[in-house]
């Protein structure tokens, strides 16, 4: 399959997926990732309406509401952000507080899903998709705290974790295998911008139909390719910073090793010199305590000579 037939997902989020006619792409991604059928009702205000040139290619997000009034914050992050985990917490917390009216009961708190598509090395792990949720476990018996029958009926959920925000992290740069499952087909598209010819995952047929490059105008293509150039530059900078940091670490370690070796050599030489002097004094029949005072060696060390 020829490369670069389809528009990158972050650009599509910024320009195309806000159109209701293209909701099927987002619905397909969420359905595949969450394992349940998601139907988007509308898009809400989010932080993505930024005009800063850096943010245009560094980050983009969409806030969607489904037919069950649950919220989905989908974010693409191209640049390294060491406090990204805290940012995820902030994003969901903000939604929880913003989408409840003052005076409403807490039972009206909305369910929030945070879907994070990251193109940098976030944390330390072997997988390329991670899911986080809140559970309460007994510190003595390790049992999971469950909802009461009344709570299950009232909130229409079967677990406490379903009431709390849930997080998904897609580390798409770490995907380096053949796509054989619907989720892997999506990760492959997010990573490469291409859709496998055999892909059947929900939403990818809409990608094939609606996110083709040949559907863009000349001006749109110009802006899109400029975006790609910016992303490449950004990733090169990330890689360069990482390599430079590794080299600096190696060089620092080498220098520290040399200095440590030099100090250890000097110290060893001093000890050997003291031992030689002590042995000579001992051969002359001088008292052990006198030798100890003169050399700084202990009496046990002198006796062992």
């Amino acid at each position: 399959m020829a490369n670069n037939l389809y528009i990158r997902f972050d650009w599509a989020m910024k320009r195309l997926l806000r159109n209701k006619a293209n909701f099927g792409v987002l619905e397909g991604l969420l359905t595949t990732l969450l394992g349940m059928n998601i139907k988007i009702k509308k898009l809400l205000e989010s932080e993505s309406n930024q005009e800063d040139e850096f943010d245009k290619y560094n980050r983009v997000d969409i806030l969607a509401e489904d037919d069950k009034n649950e919220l989905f914050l989908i974010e693409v992050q191209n640049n390294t952000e060491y406090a990204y985990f805290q940012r995820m917490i902030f994003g969901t917390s903000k939604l929880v507080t913003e989408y409840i009216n003052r005076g409403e009961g807490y039972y009206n708190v909305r369910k929030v899903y945070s879907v994070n598509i990251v193109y940098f090395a976030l944390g330390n792990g072997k997988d390329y998709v991670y899911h986080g949720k809140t559970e309460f476990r007994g510190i003595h018996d390790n049992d999971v705290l469950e909802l009461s029958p009344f709570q299950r009926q009232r909130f229409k959920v079967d677990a406490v974790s379903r009431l709390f925000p849930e997080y998904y992290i897609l580390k798409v740069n770490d995907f380096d295998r053949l796509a054989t499952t619907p989720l892997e087909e999506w990760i492959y598209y997010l990573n490469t911008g291409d859709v496998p010819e055999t892909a059947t995952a929900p939403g990818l047929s809409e990608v094939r139909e609606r996110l083709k490059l040949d559907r863009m105008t000349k001006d749109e293509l110009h802006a899109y390719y400029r975006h790609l150039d910016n992303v490449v530059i950004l990733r090169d900078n990330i890689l360069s910073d990482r390599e430079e940091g590794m080299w600096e670490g190696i060089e620092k370690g080498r220098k520290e090793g040399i200095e440590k070796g030099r100090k250890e050599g000097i110290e060893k030489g001093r000890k050997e010199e003291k031992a030689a002097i002590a042995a000579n004094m001992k051969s002359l029949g001088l008292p052990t305590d006198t030798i100890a005072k003169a050399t700084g060696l202990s009496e046990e060390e002198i006796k062992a000579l």
Side-chain angles (χ1 to χ4, degrees):
M1 180 177 178
N3 289 329
N4 302 322
L5 293 178
Y6 303 104
I7 300 166
R8 267 177 56 101
F9 188 74
D10 56 350
W11 180 265
M13 282 178 61
K14 193 75 174 178
R15 306 282 178 156
L16 302 173
L17 300 187
R18 300 174 189 281
N19 185 330
K20 190 171 184 178
N22 298 328
F23 280 3
V25 175
L26 290 176
E27 290 172 346
L29 171 60
L30 295 174
T31 294
T32 303
L33 183 61
L34 275 65
M36 54 187 181
N37 188 40
I38 303 296
K39 299 298 293 183
I40 294 176
K41 183 170 62 176
K42 61 182 178 181
L43 299 185
L44 304 171
E45 285 298 320
S46 68
E47 297 181 4
S48 59
N49 298 318
Q50 301 182 54
E51 295 303 324
D52 181 86
E53 186 63 28
F54 180 75
D55 279 327
K56 285 181 180 179
Y57 59 85
N58 172 53
R59 181 180 65 85
V60 62
D61 63 18
I62 278 181
L63 177 59
E65 180 183 71
D66 71 356
D67 54 359
K68 297 185 290 291
N69 294 324
E70 296 182 330
L71 301 176
F72 298 83
L73 179 60
I74 308 164
E75 179 166 327
V76 175
Q77 177 83 12
N78 284 303
N79 189 33
T80 299
E81 187 168 337
Y82 295 108
Y84 193 82
F85 291 119
Q86 291 90 327
R87 178 182 178 145
M88 290 164 53
I89 297 170
F90 177 80
T92 56
S93 300
K94 189 175 180 182
L95 291 179
V96 167
T97 56
E98 283 188 351
Y99 285 91
I100 184 171
N101 295 322
R102 178 171 295 182
E104 283 188 316
Y106 293 128
Y107 51 80
N108 289 316
V109 168
R110 306 276 287 276
K111 173 71 176 185
V112 178
Y113 293 92
S114 173
V115 178
N116 302 270
I117 304 167
V118 299
Y119 288 89
F120 65 96
L122 177 61
N124 184 20
K126 297 180 180 179
D127 211 324
Y128 54 92
V129 177
Y130 288 87
H131 175 216
K133 60 182 181 180
T134 300
E135 283 187 340
F136 296 91
R137 289 186 172 273
I139 63 174
H140 299 101
D141 298 326
N142 198 39
D143 64 313
V144 177
L145 183 63
E146 303 285 357
L147 294 171
S148 69
F150 172 77
Q151 289 172 318
R152 290 171 183 260
Q153 176 65 28
R154 179 65 179 83
F155 302 129
K156 309 299 182 186
V157 296
D158 58 3
V160 174
S161 61
R162 288 282 292 116
L163 299 174
F164 285 80
E166 293 186 40
Y167 302 90
Y168 289 86
I169 299 174
L170 283 61
K171 300 175 63 175
V172 294
N173 282 354
D174 292 346
F175 182 75
D176 59 356
R177 65 189 71 179
L178 184 67
T180 60
T181 68
L183 181 55
E184 289 177 344
E185 291 170 353
W186 259 105
I187 300 297
Y188 181 86
Y189 164 60
L190 295 173
N191 185 10
T192 66
D194 288 333
V195 179
E197 293 180 354
T198 58
T200 58
L204 290 183
S205 60
E206 284 81 358
V207 171
R208 290 194 185 99
E209 178 184 353
R210 300 180 180 277
L211 301 188
K212 281 190 173 182
L213 287 178
D214 58 15
R215 293 172 62 98
M216 301 175 75
T217 66
K218 184 176 180 179
D219 289 341
E220 288 173 336
L221 276 174
H222 178 72
Y224 177 65
Y225 286 130
R226 188 175 64 207
H227 168 77
L228 292 185
D229 289 341
N230 286 333
V231 170
V232 170
I233 292 171
L234 177 65
R235 293 190 183 178
D236 283 345
N237 289 340
I238 294 172
L239 183 60
S240 297
D241 289 344
R242 186 181 303 167
E243 291 178 345
E244 183 177 348
M246 290 175 60
W247 174 253
E248 289 177 352
I250 293 171
E251 184 65 14
K252 181 180 179 182
R254 185 182 70 83
K255 289 181 178 179
E256 289 178 349
I258 292 173
E259 180 62 20
K260 182 180 180 182
R262 186 183 70 84
K263 290 180 178 179
E264 289 177 350
I266 292 173
E267 184 64 24
K268 182 179 180 182
R270 286 175 177 170
K271 286 184 177 181
E272 290 176 350
E273 182 181 5
K274 288 180 180 181
I277 293 172
N280 188 40
M281 294 174 71
K282 186 177 181 181
S283 67
L284 295 174
L286 294 176
T288 300
D289 59 341
T290 301
I291 299 173
K293 290 178 181 178
T295 62
L297 298 177
S298 67
E299 293 189 4
E300 288 74 15
E301 289 174 321
I302 294 169
K303 291 176 181 179
L305 294 175

